[in-house]
Amino acid sequence: MKTLIVVSGGDAPGINALIARYLRLATTNGDEVIGADGGFEGLLAGKIVTIDQSIVTLLAGRGGTVLASSRVPVLGEDRAQQKLREIIEQNEIDKILLFGGDGTLRHVLPLLNDWGIPCIGLPTTIDNDVAGTDYTLGHHSACNFALQSIDGVLATAHALPGRIFMVETLGGNTGYLALAIAYAAGAQTVLVPEYELSLEWLGQRLKETTTRDGYALVVLSEGVSIIPQLEEAIPRLTGIRLRYTRLGHAQRGGDVSHFDRVVAHEMSRLAYTGFKDNVQIGTIIMQSGQLSLFEGKLSGEIKAPPDLDQYKFINEL
Ligand code: F6P
């Protein structure tokens, strides 16, 4: 059996760990593994590489990915699709292990499968926004990265009271990541794109919490529409100094948490045994804390919005 590994879309902590485990499992059983260097764009350019077991094992605890990814949507045209099929045939690839977010799993996975290539998808994004699974690899590590930064912010917030702190997370146009972080950090306010709030409400809330607690901590997702106005409006509405921290891409490339290493290990095992059992198309999903191989195409559904009760609890306490 010869597996091609492709990483598509945004990288996430845990990809290296999963590649390391899958590679060891496959080679120990006499199977071959190769990788696309640069996602589908790299693959179309013929960039196929072997993966060094010792290097990927060494990097298992680090963010990023030894197999470069790409976000370029190269498979839209018939010509590109034809070329990709030729590359797959020429390299005698039997199975494709595909890392990616919602778009990749919903569109590229079925396309590959329509060509008769067995493929298994691995939901990987720090955003945790893939419908059909409760969890995407990397989310937990990204939360941990944010919490470490927030602990630093809280230390200075307590030391020098009377300030408002805003910590902006990644998350694209979704708020799953920000909400998970805000809840764990004990933030008094969380802002997410799915439930927008007015500046007036925010000003009032920040004044109240600063008076009550000595500081205010707001965790907000990068997709919130009022962000451009915040730095001017908050001090004006509250009369309180504002300090703004953007976690940015550092949050995506942080170290891999214990949980994500376990998830990566388990995902690699489920994917490998799925291929061995001749699964034609599937995705490794988590439901109620259990990882499993979902066989078939993921439905076209959209993930339910972030937990409203949790959101209200943070903003009302
Ligand atoms: O992969 C998801 C994500 O990290 C989002 O949280 C973020 O908005 C986006 O990717 C950033 O993408 P890029 O790396 O292309 O700037």
Side-chain angles (χ1 to χ4, degrees):
M1 178 172 96
K2 188 171 184 181
T3 308
L4 169 73
I5 301 181
V6 185
V7 182
S8 179
D11 53 280
I15 293 181
N16 287 329
L18 203 155
I19 295 175
R21 305 297 170 244
Y22 186 89
L23 185 61
R24 175 158 299 147
L25 203 49
T27 52
T28 307
N29 285 291
D31 293 314
E32 241 184 294
V33 180
I34 51 174
D37 178 21
F40 287 104
E41 193 188 24
L43 191 56
L44 279 175
K47 293 187 183 169
I48 292 180
V49 293
T50 53
I51 308 159
D52 186 311
Q53 179 75 70
S54 64
I55 291 178
V56 73
T57 303
L58 192 65
L59 293 174
R62 298 279 166 272
T65 154
V66 283
L67 291 174
S69 181
S70 167
R71 281 197 192 279
V72 184
V74 284
L75 296 180
E77 287 177 19
D78 288 351
R79 227 163 10 127
Q81 294 188 13
Q82 182 54 36
K83 190 167 176 207
L84 184 65
R85 288 155 86 154
E86 286 164 15
I87 290 172
I88 290 168
E89 246 179 66
Q90 282 157 11
N91 288 277
E92 297 174 332
I93 292 159
D94 305 311
K95 319 273 180 185
I96 296 183
L97 186 63
L98 181 58
F99 289 85
D102 207 56
T104 303
L105 299 177
R106 216 163 288 284
H107 303 298
V108 183
L109 205 66
L111 182 72
L112 297 171
N113 187 248
D114 287 348
W115 302 343
I117 306 155
C119 48
I120 292 181
L122 303 159
T124 22
T125 161
I126 63 167
D127 298 351
N128 200 18
D129 62 347
V130 176
T133 180
D134 295 346
Y135 188 73
T136 56
L137 184 65
H139 176 71
H140 190 261
S141 304
C143 287
N144 272 4
F145 180 94
L147 289 175
Q148 280 192 2
S149 306
I150 290 173
D151 284 345
V153 166
L154 288 179
T156 182
H158 281 281
L160 196 59
R163 293 174 293 171
I164 296 167
F165 291 88
M166 291 208 170
V167 179
E168 183 186 309
T169 72
L170 290 183
N173 58 2
T174 70
Y176 306 99
L177 182 63
L179 184 61
I181 293 163
Y183 193 64
Q188 303 105 330
T189 305
V190 60
L191 303 178
V192 296
E194 292 86 349
Y195 311 116
E196 294 268 353
L197 290 163
S198 72
L199 281 168
E200 287 63 35
W201 178 89
L202 186 59
Q204 192 54 34
R205 171 78 178 159
L206 295 177
K207 272 202 284 193
E208 282 167 14
T209 47
T210 309
T211 306
R212 185 187 72 188
D213 302 331
Y215 69 91
L217 172 64
V218 185
V219 173
L220 71 161
S221 168
E222 61 174 345
V224 169
S225 71
I226 55 173
I227 284 179
Q229 300 157 59
L230 290 176
E231 283 185 89
E232 177 279 321
I234 297 303
R236 174 172 52 78
L237 289 168
T238 62
I240 304 171
R241 278 173 299 165
L242 169 69
R243 298 291 181 257
Y244 204 107
T245 303
R246 249 185 208 105
L247 299 175
H249 287 69
Q251 184 181 16
R252 201 166 80 194
D255 287 345
V256 189
S257 67
H258 169 267
F259 183 72
D260 277 332
R261 292 182 204 209
V262 173
V263 168
H265 206 137
E266 188 67 2
M267 279 183 160
S268 70
R269 203 174 59 77
L270 288 165
Y272 182 74
T273 45
F275 281 144
K276 283 296 191 188
D277 292 344
N278 279 322
V279 166
Q280 293 302 298
I281 179 167
T283 303
I284 310 296
I285 59 164
M286 185 183 281
Q287 276 169 342
S288 308
Q290 282 296 316
L291 282 166
S292 63
L293 171 65
F294 170 84
E295 275 192 66
K297 298 179 184 178
L298 284 176
S299 70
E301 71 196 67
I302 296 185
K303 190 168 170 118
D307 187 334
L308 187 56
D309 287 342
Q310 204 175 56
Y311 168 83
K312 283 186 177 165
F313 181 77
I314 296 169
N315 284 327
E316 287 169 8
L317 184 66

